[in-house]
Amino acid sequence: DNTFVNTYATPDSTEHFSHLLETYDDALLATGVTGAGPDTDGILVKMNRRGTITWQKRFAEPGTQRLIQAINSSDNNYFILGTHTNHVDEAGGFLVKMDAAGTILWKKEMFTWDIGYRFIKMMQGTDGFIYVLGMHESGGIDGKPTLTKIDNAGVTQWSRQYRNPVNGYLTPFDFTDDNVGILISGEIHNINTAYASDGSVLRVAKSNGAVAWVKRYNPTNFSGGRMP
């Protein structure tokens, strides 16, 4: 029976796990945040199927750090996606590759101290490359999806920013690999109508990130056509 309830806590601090991965080596890997006050650190905890901690790592730098996702790599390692802010309006993130023992193989800074940048999700495509989806915001409203392709050694192949060319801006929520291209789903906001939005799907080429097509969905022509 692998049912358990465990609490992970440190004195005078607050912990929050935002993502849990079932690893390729039959363990669990939790990503999240720990700290008190305005400055927090990213936390990574590996545990067995009974919830017993195998090892844990803390990612600490000035400002706010948060680990948002972990995935298994095709070569039996882990990728960890994290973000940091400096309490102003500047944010960036980082991608870490580490082995099963928690040894960092490489760490890649991404969009360091860029205005209004946040990560949403990463995945390893069927081609073996890592795709990281994020978004730039200007004043909290102007959404520009950003997709970055990275190889297993941490080298950026390309990075693209997308914006709907007709009357609006895009807010991404999720993405997937359809073996031919990358599909980004979300919503398109109409800049001329307050709070109006349509569902959207954007397809881009894996080879260079070029847009193949953008589809807009609003069959009943009402505000709030969000696609989760």
Side-chain angles (χ1 to χ4, degrees), residues 33 37-42 59 61-66 83-87 92 94 113:
V33 63
D39 291 337
T40 60
D41 299 333
F59 292 76
E61 294 181 15
T64 299
Q65 323 298 317
R66 181 183 298 271
T83 185
H84 48 62
T85 62
N86 65 354
H87 309 311
F94 52 90
W113 306 129

Side-chain angles (χ1 to χ4, degrees), residues 22-27 72-73 75-78 99-100:
E22 293 185 281
T23 67
Y24 71 89
D25 53 343
D26 197 35
N72 295 304
S73 70
D75 57 355
N76 291 340
N77 290 291
Y78 310 137
D99 64 19

Side-chain angles (χ1 to χ4, degrees), residues 103-214:
T103 302
I104 294 177
L105 304 178
W106 51 257
K107 180 181 179 183
K108 180 181 183 65
E109 294 288 338
M110 300 176 64
F111 303 104
T112 304
W113 306 129
D114 209 342
I115 295 177
Y117 187 84
R118 65 183 176 90
F119 285 127
I120 295 173
K121 187 179 178 181
M122 68 172 165
M123 69 176 176
Q124 187 160 32
T126 55
D127 54 4
F129 290 92
I130 306 303
Y131 294 87
V132 179
L133 177 65
M135 183 174 72
H136 279 89
E137 295 178 312
S138 177
I141 59 171
D142 192 3
K144 300 183 184 74
T146 300
L147 188 64
T148 303
K149 179 180 180 179
I150 303 167
D151 68 16
N152 262 309
V155 178
T156 298
Q157 306 300 297
W158 50 257
S159 187
R160 290 264 193 155
Q161 187 176 97
Y162 307 99
R163 177 168 180 148
N164 179 40
V166 181
N167 196 33
Y169 52 89
L170 292 164
T171 298
F173 291 107
D174 202 357
F175 71 152
T176 190
D177 181 355
D178 69 355
N179 296 320
V180 178
I182 302 297
L183 297 172
I184 303 172
S185 64
E187 61 182 324
I188 297 177
H189 301 263
N190 189 327
I191 59 177
N192 294 326
T193 304
Y195 307 112
S197 62
D198 299 337
S200 67
V201 176
L202 168 70
R203 189 185 199 186
V204 304
K206 289 183 180 179
S207 57
N208 59 8
V211 175
W213 47 255
V214 181

Side-chain angles (χ1 to χ4, degrees), residues 27-58:
L28 301 173
L29 195 62
T31 56
V33 63
T34 181
D39 291 337
T40 60
D41 299 333
I43 189 170
L44 181 67
V45 179
K46 184 175 183 179
M47 62 196 85
N48 64 21
R49 291 284 180 166
R50 294 292 300 170
T52 302
I53 292 177
T54 306
W55 52 257
Q56 56 185 313
K57 286 190 174 293
R58 193 164 179 154

